[in-house]
DNA sequence: CTGAAAGCGCTTACAG
DNA sequence: CTGAAAGCGCTTACAG
């Protein structure tokens, strides 16, 4: 029948009373005060060995596994739960291995610090709204929420707990320092050194802003780009790139990358290499090139960002910048944990020491197969 | 600095008092009893429109977003949290896309029912032990925990909440009905119809039992196999397979599949087709064949189970049985939710109606490219 | 080294 | 239609 029933009996002692054994009951059985029993389990104050033993014995006899997390949470004001608000993450793992790796890192780091990770979707309808208001947590990380944040964000803010929005958009940079510009500058320099003179750029702004895909000017693109994209563009500029064409991708997927390739190749002076700011876009560029019968990289070169593994590349490896998602998740988690600690100090009327600079995530280059050397 | 600070102000009204607004405070400000204020938010009893309006107004003025989940949880005894105990899941997503899909399904179904999903690792050391005892939840699903369950399982049992162990090992079958035998029978029949007469079988028992990889007899393998594997083997038998060799894989990974191929191909009468019970094993068989310079499927055919996408197959698609992980996760989640509902009835002294048969997961065949037709 | 008591923020019978 | 009160299971000053 129910698994829990099948296993019943295993850990129970003679007089097992089962239904909802409480600290109070254990304390009573052991002939001590609730506070003493509590301290036996939390270890926050010294208890005479003999007394402790009596309590532990009573607990074992009654099948008591330790203080109820719920009671502890209410009394201490700490749930030891971190909410991760995410939607796209699991929807299609193949398309977003980076987010998945980030979740992995978050979860591990939180677990090691004694925090559980609660997955909740952004608020998009009644059920997600109810859930958001129902879930308990001490802090939040929101990841890649391209959807629903009009309502989700104000709500998260209203809960007044530490919050890091990890979506490459608003304030990811307060949690982890990434020198995107340094990485893309190096990437672009190698492209130029390979002999490319006609270079195109494709970068994204968010679909949410309802800007369509389309050719644009560098200045216009830059002005509407999220901060991390801006930094990547900075690197191109620093390397001395003067693009023959610039495309704004309305969304972060392959189709949008393909659209970029189509538009840029249609220019009077088409680029020999397209610099993108995301591997999925680079993959889309490759998709389009193949459809047109163009060889990559001989006829068209392309670079990306993130160095994630993407399906259907047939052995091609995108020249890109490696972003270690697991490591990033861990760094972000540590930052949130630090914010939590600071908040705890503040609660007790103290003045927390400043958080200091965020940790830096290294962004090494991955030189793949998608950039050809031109004579 | 902290994101939550940056956003502050947005949703606040004039007299915002901020620090920990409680239901009691709102009730007082609105001049009503706590119970009335509570009912305005829960909707569990009718409140006069005018009164409700006063409460809502006071709440808005004080920046109160609704009853604290923590308070509600303690008072109601429901945390609206389901723990998912998992380790391998995120560790290496590429190697276990099925578990990932299952998690996706679980998470979605739970979210739609108003339950958050908490990720916690199995108990393997002090920090995971502390976490397990800290986390709040109303029910548990454990997934693919090949590790740490000696301590984890008894602990989960001791929490006495509904629990489904989804690891293809103990009681997955109480939660979802899968007719593995029907699927593998059909698969094996097609292999036989393709002209294969010398067939090998490779299946797994768990590494945890410390049985090494190795050739064995069908009876011996069957006796030590988990139930789901038994069912898959049943299908082979029903199709009339009389294996020329049987291999026990000590773990569920490619290396173990490769070991199976090596051993089976070393037999005096080597098989022309190896039936496995997992795609990763089939992939391992392919790995070994290639290393030996054998062509798949011409020189060696192979079948799998799960129909997950596996890297490095170079266009080969394993002949396999499709297991829709997301759907499976949803079915399992619904089962747990039903167990939860039954428990709630029991709590209030009622007698819950029986859960009935578990939902069935369809297991269609995927006929790929890894079985050759022999003359 | 231990106890009695207040309190964490709600919900829910029970009364009216 | 609404209120006063008990209680959910703990932790944590405060006393001794």
């Amino acid at each position: 029948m129910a698994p829990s029933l099948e296993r019943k009996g295993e850990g129970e002692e003679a007089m097992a009373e089962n239904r909802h054994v409480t600290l109070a009951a254990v304390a009573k059985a052991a002939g001590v005060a609730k506070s003493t029993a509590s301290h036996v389990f939390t270890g926050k104050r010294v208890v005479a060995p003999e007394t402790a033993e009596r309590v532990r014995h009573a607990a074992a006899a009654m099948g008591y596994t330790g203080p109820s997390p719920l009671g502890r949470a209410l009394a201490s004001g700490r749930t030891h739960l971190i909410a991760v608000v995410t939607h796209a993450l699991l929807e299609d793992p193949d398309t977003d291995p980076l987010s998945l790796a980030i979740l992995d890192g978050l979860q591990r780091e939180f677990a090691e610090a004694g925090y559980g990770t609660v997955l909740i979707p952004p608020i998009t309808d009644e059920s997600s709204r109810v859930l958001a208001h129902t879930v308990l947590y001490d802090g939040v990380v929101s990841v890649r929420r391209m959807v629903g944040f009009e309502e989700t964000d104000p709500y998260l803010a209203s809960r007044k707990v530490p919050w890091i929005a990890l979506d490459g958009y608003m304030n990811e940079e307060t949690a982890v320092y990434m020198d995107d510009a340094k990485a893309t500058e190096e990437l672009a320099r190698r492209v130029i050194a390979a002999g490319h003179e006609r270079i195109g750029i494709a970068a994204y702004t968010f679909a949410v802003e309802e800007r369509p895909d389309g050719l644009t000017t560098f200045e216009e693109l830059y002005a509407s780009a999220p901060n991390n994209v801006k930094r990547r563009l900075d690197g191109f500029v620093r390397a001395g790139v003067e693009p023959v064409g610039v495309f704004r991708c309305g969304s972060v997927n392959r189709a949008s990358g393909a659209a970029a390739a189509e538009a840029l190749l249609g220019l009077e002076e088409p680029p020999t290499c397209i610099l993108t700011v995301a591997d999925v876009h680079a993959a889309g560029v490759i998709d389009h090139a193949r459809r047109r019968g163009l060889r990559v990289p001989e006829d068209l070169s392309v670079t990306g960002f993130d160095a994630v593994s993407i399906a259907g590349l047939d052995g091609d490896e995108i020249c890109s910048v490696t972003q270690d998602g697991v490591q990033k998740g861990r760094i972000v988690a540590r930052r949130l944990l630090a914010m939590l600690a600071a908040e705890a100090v503040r609660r007790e009327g103290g003045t927390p020491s400043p958080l200091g600079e965020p940790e830096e995530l290294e962004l090494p280059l991955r030189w793949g197969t998608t950039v050809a050397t031109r004579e």
Side-chain angles (χ1 to χ4, degrees), chain A:
Chain A
M1 183 93 331
S4 51
L5 296 184
E6 291 183 0
R7 307 254 171 83
K8 214 171 250 178
E10 281 184 23
E12 295 174 21
E13 310 286 309
M15 61 166 294
E17 194 195 306
N18 236 347
R19 290 235 60 74
H20 259 12
V21 191
T22 67
L23 219 214
V26 172
K28 193 171 171 190
V32 301
K34 270 171 19 184
S35 47
T36 299
S38 171
H39 287 118
V40 169
F41 293 103
T42 62
K44 290 197 181 170
R45 117 176 156 186
V46 185
V47 176
E50 194 258 331
T51 310
E53 196 37 58
R54 234 180 329 136
V55 172
R56 262 189 287 268
H57 190 79
M62 303 170 80
Y64 183 73
T65 346
S68 147
L70 205 48
R72 305 186 64 171
L74 221 217
S76 69
R78 279 260 174 265
T79 62
H80 284 270
L81 249 22
I82 307 289
V84 172
V85 180
T86 180
H87 183 70
L89 201 58
L90 297 170
E91 193 166 6
D92 191 351
D94 290 331
T95 62
D96 198 356
L98 184 63
S99 294
L100 205 54
I102 290 173
L103 175 62
D104 191 8
L106 286 171
Q107 184 260 125
R108 283 166 190 283
E109 191 73 26
F110 284 135
E112 286 164 19
Y115 282 79
T117 301
V118 193
L119 264 23
I120 58 175
I123 300 176
T124 55
D125 57 13
E126 189 52 24
S127 80
S128 51
R129 180 173 307 118
V130 170
L131 183 56
H133 285 256
T134 300
V135 168
L136 317 101
Y137 54 83
D138 298 333
V140 196
V141 178
S142 45
V143 184
R144 295 285 157 108
R145 329 131 306 148
M146 300 303 191
V147 91
F149 65 76
E150 304 83 344
E151 180 173 351
T152 310
D153 281 20
Y155 176 70
L156 294 181
S158 77
R159 295 260 308 233
K160 281 154 198 142
V161 298
W163 172 27
I164 291 174
L166 232 203
D167 32 37
Y169 189 45
M170 303 201 60
N171 54 11
E172 165 168 356
E173 42 257 83
T174 64
V176 47
Y177 180 71
M178 294 168 56
D179 198 347
D180 304 63
K182 181 178 145 210
T184 53
E185 177 182 349
E186 193 184 338
L187 194 64
R189 283 196 188 285
R190 288 188 65 160
V191 166
I192 292 169
H196 290 271
E197 292 174 345
R198 299 201 310 278
I199 294 175
I201 290 179
Y204 59 89
T205 58
F206 283 99
V208 146
E209 298 175 2
E210 287 176 12
R211 293 165 175 280
D213 277 14
L215 287 167
T216 178
T217 64
F218 185 85
E219 290 68 27
E220 217 280 328
L221 176 77
Y222 191 89
S224 61
N227 288 338
N228 61 337
V229 171
K230 279 200 171 76
R231 293 196 305 267
R232 294 171 198 180
L233 295 173
D234 287 339
F236 297 156
V237 171
R238 282 201 228 153
V241 172
E242 291 179 12
V244 295
V246 173
F247 190 90
R248 173 175 50 228
C249 295
S251 29
V252 186
N253 57 32
R254 283 170 90 139
S256 194
E262 177 163 21
L264 292 169
L265 291 177
L267 293 174
E268 283 189 15
E269 201 181 21
T272 59
C273 179
I274 297 177
L275 306 178
T276 73
V277 296
D279 276 18
V280 277
H281 283 157
V285 167
I286 295 173
D287 291 341
H288 177 78
R290 290 212 184 120
R291 252 177 268 141
R292 280 293 175 85
L294 299 175
R295 293 164 305 162
V296 174
E298 295 81 356
D299 301 322
L300 180 64
S301 293
V302 63
T303 69
F305 198 102
D306 280 351
V308 292
S309 56
I310 289 184
L313 250 36
D314 252 0
D316 277 342
E317 195 175 51
I318 297 167
C319 291
S320 187
V321 174
T322 301
Q323 189 176 156
D324 182 338
V326 174
Q327 198 49 34
K328 183 170 176 176
R330 283 189 177 272
I331 290 174
V332 169
R334 285 195 286 267
R335 190 70 176 182
L336 193 73
L337 256 6
M339 289 162 71
L340 241 29
E343 199 215 36
V345 170
R346 218 174 287 124
R347 261 195 208 181
E348 290 168 8
T351 306
S353 45
L355 292 183
E357 288 300 301
E359 293 178 60
E360 175 168 4
L361 181 69
E362 292 297 324
L363 295 173
L365 236 60
R366 177 184 76 184
W367 196 251
T369 61
T370 60
V371 172
T373 301
R374 299 183 70 86
E375 308 312 316

